[in-house]
Amino acid sequence: MSAYAIRAVQAGDDEGIRRLLGAPQPSALLALGFERAPSYLQAATVSHVQPEILVAQHRDTADIVAVVNLGQRPVFVNGERCDVRFAGDLRVAAAHQGGRLLVYLSRKMRDILGESGWYQTIILNENERSRSALAQGGRAGMPFYAPQINVETFTLTGSKQQEASTDCSVRKATVSDIPVMNGFVQKMSRYYQFLPAYDFNGLLTGEAYFRGLSIQDFILVERHGDLCALGAVWDQKAFKQTRVVSYKPWINLLRPVYNLWTRLLGGLHLPPAGELLDYRLVHSPLTTPDDTEAFAVLLQALWEHCSQAGGRALSLSLSANDPRRTVIRNFRHFFMAGTHYLASFSRDSLPVLDERLVPYFECGRL
């Protein structure tokens, strides 16, 4: 018998999952902890409309040593609304990596998916361990991973001088704008693959998928009276946090000087070890793919909104073939890259995608 019980999540697992996710993740410069306070199960309803969470519990210690959320969310695939699974929050405790735990977890995932089911997932390019164990593993009992495209997450830390648009006007959204905003999402589904099928009425009803957002957080850009861009600044710290656990000694020594430099020229502020990183996320940055003018106006307005609220870093994700990436050069920024995969236990079950559509990724739900 396996040393692990692989099962659906229970309410009593919340603390164990948060302990697992918050364990320090070392990198070349610092160690980070990814937290979900006060409740992982609540945070899971933001990334997935229908969470479906599996855990691995060690039979001897009763510790939660692995977790994955294989839940569903409504997105547009080839222009049609579908409920699509996204594998997120996959984590295996360090002491249990390298064995057969991932195989046991995959068997349970196969029970859920069957032979015809498939899901999306993203693996950071620098995460060699996960890429080797999953996407490049080829181990019996593991799903087949089909690479799609690179996903780039940009963190804006300052704005450069930009030319003002003479055609576009900017304003904050109001409740009366929601029908037009919903119609705009429908229109954008003709251009983007995996665009979330948003119904912004959920902002008014307290829908968990929009936790941390209100209609006042949304910016609208209009051209000659017609909506041409929308987006919001999303502060997720009430349910999702990134904590600096420790720095390399030389980074800690230089941190005060670096922070002074970022205060003058822009950059991500580095807090003392033990404190949280302070950043915001862009929600639903939508324009047509070729409308770089409206996208530039939108990003500038979102950056100003973020700055006025005290934020000094703003993140968004774009696919590597999104024409709007050129606008990022208007901002001081840094980025990290990942690869988008479709995965299934049967190669034949993967969807045939319209390659004319630009893949869409919502930074706050990855």
Side-chain angles (χ1 to χ4, degrees):
M1 183 174 65
S2 164
Y4 309 101
I6 312 297
R7 56 172 175 78
V9 73
Q10 300 171 1
D13 298 327
D14 200 287
E15 182 178 354
I17 295 173
R18 286 189 284 114
R19 188 182 306 116
L20 174 64
L21 293 177
Q25 301 296 307
S27 68
L29 302 178
L30 72 170
L32 298 174
F34 300 97
E35 302 179 2
R36 301 292 189 275
S39 167
Y40 171 78
L41 297 181
Q42 287 183 9
T45 61
V46 176
S47 58
H48 298 73
V49 171
Q50 304 173 54
E52 192 156 358
I53 302 163
L54 296 176
V55 298
Q57 185 174 34
H58 195 271
R59 296 185 189 277
D60 291 339
T61 65
D63 290 338
I64 301 298
V65 296
V67 65
V68 64
N69 187 346
L70 196 61
Q72 301 180 67
R73 47 203 192 181
V75 299
F76 291 99
V77 178
N78 295 337
E80 299 294 327
R81 186 188 185 281
C82 307
D83 289 331
V84 172
R85 293 186 182 274
F86 184 92
D89 293 336
L90 175 62
R91 188 67 54 82
V92 177
H96 298 267
Q97 295 175 5
R100 293 186 57 79
L101 178 52
L102 275 178
V103 175
Y104 301 144
L105 196 61
S106 293
R107 288 175 181 171
K108 194 68 173 180
M109 292 170 63
R110 189 169 194 159
D111 291 342
I112 294 172
L113 291 168
E115 293 301 318
S116 60
W118 58 275
Y119 60 91
Q120 296 178 271
T121 196
I122 292 174
I123 301 177
L124 290 178
N125 290 351
E126 65 182 28
N127 191 344
E128 290 296 335
R129 181 184 291 271
S130 291
R131 287 163 61 87
S132 176
L134 297 171
Q136 301 171 3
R139 299 163 65 184
M142 299 290 286
F144 167 72
Y145 281 73
Q148 302 298 300
I149 197 167
N150 263 14
V151 185
E152 296 175 340
T153 296
F154 300 92
T155 297
L156 314 182
T157 59
S159 175
K160 302 176 183 178
Q161 187 173 359
Q162 300 184 40
E163 294 183 7
S165 170
T166 58
D167 294 331
C168 296
S169 60
V170 178
R171 64 179 178 87
K172 287 191 175 183
T174 65
V175 170
S176 63
D177 293 312
I178 287 179
V180 175
M181 293 166 64
N182 285 342
F184 192 69
V185 171
Q186 292 284 334
K187 178 182 176 182
M188 292 301 102
S189 70
R190 303 200 297 264
Y191 302 96
Y192 293 101
Q193 195 72 271
F194 301 115
L195 174 69
Y198 286 130
D199 178 358
F200 291 116
N201 285 297
L203 294 166
L204 309 181
T205 59
E207 187 176 320
Y209 204 46
F210 293 107
R211 181 175 282 116
L213 284 166
S214 70
I215 189 64
Q216 290 79 19
D217 294 315
F218 281 80
I219 298 292
L220 305 183
V221 180
E222 296 171 325
R223 181 183 286 120
H224 308 306
D226 294 326
L227 182 62
C228 61
L230 68 81
V233 174
W234 197 3
D235 187 349
Q236 295 190 336
K237 287 195 295 295
F239 55 88
K240 185 177 182 181
Q241 308 85 21
T242 303
R243 189 177 302 277
V244 177
V245 179
S246 63
Y247 293 101
K248 295 294 184 182
W250 67 273
I251 290 290
N252 198 42
L253 182 66
L254 295 176
R255 187 178 61 83
V257 177
Y258 169 81
N259 283 340
L260 177 61
W261 179 78
T262 62
R263 187 177 297 276
L264 297 174
L265 299 177
L268 181 64
H269 177 80
L270 296 180
E275 295 189 8
L276 300 177
L277 288 175
D278 185 18
Y279 59 93
R280 272 70 164 179
L281 305 170
V282 177
H283 184 280
S284 57
L286 288 176
T287 66
T288 57
D290 61 350
D291 196 347
T292 54
E293 179 190 40
F295 190 61
V297 172
L298 175 67
L299 270 194
Q300 181 63 30
L302 292 172
W303 172 253
E304 292 174 1
H305 183 54
C306 174
S307 299
Q308 291 165 6
R312 296 167 63 182
L314 182 65
S315 298
L316 72 157
S317 297
L318 299 172
S319 68
N321 67 344
D322 193 323
R324 304 176 302 167
R325 290 171 64 255
T326 58
V327 173
I328 300 298
R329 65 191 176 199
N330 296 343
F331 299 85
R332 289 184 289 275
H333 67 276
F334 61 90
F335 83 102
M336 59 182 178
T339 301
H340 175 228
Y341 295 89
L342 299 184
S344 174
F345 289 93
S346 170
R347 294 172 185 253
D348 296 335
S349 67
L350 295 178
V352 177
L353 300 177
D354 187 340
E355 295 183 356
R356 296 171 298 177
L357 303 184
V358 177
Y360 179 92
F361 303 100
E362 191 72 82
C363 182
R365 305 189 197 278
L366 299 182

